Amino acid sequence: MQLSLVRREYRGFTLVELVIMIVVIGILATIATREMSGTIEDAHWENTKKELDQLAFAIVGNPDIYVGGARSDFGYVGDVGGLPSDLNALVTNPGSYATWDGPYADSGTSGTEHLSDAWGTAYTYTDTLLRSTGSGSNIDKLLANSSSDLLSNTISGTIVDAGRDIPGSVYRDSLQVRLTYPNGSGGSTTAIVNPSSDGWFSISSIPVGNRTLQVIYIPNSDTATYAIGVLPGRTARLDIVFPADLW
């Protein structure tokens, strides 16, 4: 009986090859980590910019939302008539305000997610500026060019009767123009003016929002009511033809 011996050759990694593999894996891991860090940083930027937009909409409304051909969303300022003292006022009524109609912002499951950016750093809110600093540089969102653009606008126009006649000096005192609007601290105020003899009237210091204007012919208590939108930094114009031949 003849035995046959088979030689088997086993080959592994040399120490040098193993070291090279470890170095290559380390380089690839470093590159992957950097790429992942960059992706996460980009996501933080985008999420923060999106949240700043949402906070701005909560404060001053979304200018792209229309109902019946007119802008319908003016946020906290439109309802209250003033800027919020802090971002908490967008979620919790700041003082039993009757005109507050929030919450205006999404505070998340923690109830405070609207206060910080994606890096966990608290937003800075001053006048018309929202700012994130968590990235190490500023990400800004400007609500308006100035607070007066939001809080101090003008409604003006003219009044004639159904015959297109102006009131003149005789009838101007018999007309009242009334505008009710939020006063900035949870209540409402009503401005009352008489037109000039040529029918011209003007009411100033009006916050943005959809407002209701009434023209009253006092002797007969006749009232005409008009809806008017007050936009940031603009004078709202309303030319009124009173639906009766009064003078």
Side-chain angles (χ1 to χ4, degrees), residues 37-131:
S37 297
T39 301
I40 292 173
E41 192 73 5
D42 289 344
H44 284 350
W45 269 82
E46 293 304 317
N47 289 337
T48 295
K49 288 168 63 178
K50 181 178 179 181
E51 187 169 55
L52 285 171
D53 286 340
Q54 294 301 319
L55 288 172
F57 292 157
I59 296 172
V60 298
N62 186 338
D64 295 327
I65 297 179
Y66 279 71
V67 173
R71 178 176 166 178
S72 61
D73 183 17
F74 292 90
Y76 180 99
V77 174
D79 290 341
V80 176
L83 288 162
S85 57
D86 55 45
L87 297 182
N88 281 317
L90 300 176
V91 175
T92 305
N93 192 319
S96 300
Y97 286 3
T99 59
W100 190 88
D101 194 27
Y104 301 92
D106 184 2
S107 60
T109 55
S110 68
T112 58
E113 290 180 16
H114 65 296
L115 301 178
S116 302
D117 59 24
W119 295 272
T121 302
Y123 288 117
T124 300
Y125 166 55
T126 306
D127 194 37
T128 59
L129 178 66
L130 284 166
R131 171 171 289 172

Side-chain angles (χ1 to χ4, degrees), residues 166-170 172 195-200:
I166 62 174
S169 58
V170 175
R172 62 174 295 272
S196 58
S197 58
D198 63 357
W200 176 261

Side-chain angles (χ1 to χ4, degrees), residues 155-239:
I155 295 176
S156 61
T158 57
I159 306 171
V160 296
D161 68 4
R164 304 287 173 168
D165 295 318
I166 62 174
S169 58
V170 175
Y171 290 99
R172 62 174 295 272
D173 292 337
S174 299
L175 285 169
Q176 280 189 353
V177 182
R178 297 185 180 183
L179 182 76
T180 299
Y181 56 92
N183 62 12
S185 56
S188 297
T189 187
T190 300
I192 302 175
V193 300
N194 299 107
S196 58
S197 58
D198 63 357
W200 176 261
F201 70 91
S202 182
I203 303 173
S204 58
S205 301
I206 310 301
V208 296
N210 289 319
R211 310 294 172 218
T212 299
L213 183 141
Q214 292 182 317
V215 180
I216 303 171
Y217 182 59
I218 298 171
N220 298 336
S221 298
D222 292 340
T223 302
T225 301
Y226 302 86
I228 185 166
V230 181
L231 301 177
R234 300 184 188 179
T235 296
R237 180 68 184 266
L238 185 63
D239 293 320

